[in-house]
Amino acid sequence: MKKIIFTLGLIAVSIGVFAQDGGSPMNKAVNKVTHSNDFLMIQLSYDGWAGAPDSIKTGLNRGFNIALMYDFPFKKSKMSLAAGLGVSTSGVYLKDHSMDIQGKLNKNQVSFPSSTAKKNKVATTYLEIPIELRYRSVPDNANKGFKAAIGVKVGALVDAHTKAKYTGANGSKDIDKDANRGFFNPWRFSATARVGYGNFALFGAYSLNPLLKDNSANNLDIRPYSIGICLSGL
């Protein structure tokens, strides 16, 4: 998964380097296509679980998303439609509980046993296709002016794991890591919204389907959500 994120970042940097040189017709075309259409999207977020049991408390959960998107402007309008490819990662930290995704306590469902670990992290990674309907007050340059967008993201789960960190009696650091996607929904469908000015914006995302399969954790209806800041450009 790190290779996917690195590849997307490398493509974005390469396009940015080419776009800085406007001498050739190719570079002029790249400038026209990429410099003002919010091609690169980077998002940092606080992540949470709506619908989680009251006994499950979470901490400072963090998310990171990156996407490359192509903008299709509507002629004689400040509106456009954009689609692309991205990667979304999320880390939810459980307090006083862990998430048994291996079925050690019950092979038929996820459970949340009590835990004495210093940190209990539930991490997921999705490969996503984001689609946005966009509005820009300056349609020819997304780096300026007010802009807003609503959309959806279709994500395929590529990784799900838990990581627990313990402190031993002698002060040693012990890590227990489990990976299993079996109890998770393989697809995620999210509604998204974004509003901002210039290169900076606030965004939100809410999962339209549960995190877990219907036969998991007694049909718990956990819906992940994200709220954060977005940096866009190129």
Side-chain angles (χ1 to χ4, degrees):
M1 184 46 51
K2 291 181 179 179
K3 292 182 179 179
I4 295 176
I5 297 176
F6 175 78
T7 301
L8 289 173
L10 184 60
I11 292 173
V13 171
S14 298
I15 291 176
V17 171
F18 280 116
Q20 291 178 1
D21 180 8
S24 68
M26 178 179 294
N27 289 332
K28 288 181 179 179
V30 171
N31 280 334
K32 184 176 181 180
V33 172
T34 65
H35 251 286
S36 59
N37 293 327
D38 280 348
F39 177 75
L40 175 65
M41 307 284 292
I42 298 174
Q43 297 174 337
L44 301 175
S45 66
Y46 168 82
D47 292 0
W49 284 354
D54 293 337
S55 59
I56 304 302
K57 306 299 182 182
T58 63
L60 185 59
N61 313 317
R62 300 182 289 273
F64 173 79
N65 312 323
I66 184 171
L68 303 179
M69 304 186 70
Y70 190 85
D71 194 77
F72 300 91
F74 299 151
K75 292 183 178 180
K76 298 180 180 180
S77 171
K78 296 181 179 180
M79 306 292 293
S80 65
L81 184 67
L85 180 66
V87 175
S88 173
T89 65
S90 175
V92 174
Y93 293 85
L94 305 182
K95 294 182 177 180
D96 304 322
H97 288 80
S98 63
M99 187 175 184
D100 178 18
I101 64 173
Q102 294 283 23
K104 296 176 182 178
L105 298 179
N106 189 330
K107 66 178 182 180
N108 296 318
Q109 65 183 43
V110 168
S111 57
F112 294 88
S114 299
S115 174
T116 59
K118 185 177 180 180
K119 288 184 179 180
N120 281 292
K121 178 182 178 182
V122 181
T124 54
T125 302
Y126 292 84
L127 185 63
E128 295 182 319
I129 297 177
I131 302 173
E132 285 187 338
L133 180 64
R134 296 172 167 179
Y135 168 84
R136 291 199 295 264
S137 62
V138 184
D140 295 331
N141 191 348
N143 297 325
K144 299 179 180 180
F146 172 81
K147 55 189 180 183
I150 57 173
V152 295
K153 292 196 295 184
V154 180
L157 181 67
V158 295
D159 178 69
H161 69 267
T162 60
K163 181 186 291 185
K165 293 184 178 181
Y166 299 87
T167 301
N170 59 355
S172 62
K173 304 294 184 180
D174 299 321
I175 297 177
D176 185 12
K177 183 176 179 180
D178 289 323
N180 182 24
R181 292 180 287 170
F183 290 112
F184 292 79
N185 264 321
W187 298 95
R188 183 174 70 181
F189 305 93
S190 301
T192 64
R194 180 167 52 90
V195 60
Y197 191 92
N199 298 115
F200 298 93
L202 299 177
F203 84 95
Y206 182 82
S207 180
L208 301 176
N209 63 319
L211 174 69
L212 303 173
K213 292 179 179 178
D214 291 340
N215 63 351
S216 300
N218 298 320
N219 295 325
L220 282 176
D221 191 14
I222 298 176
R223 306 290 180 105
Y225 65 87
S226 300
I227 302 172
I229 59 174
C230 175
L231 174 64
S232 61
L234 297 179

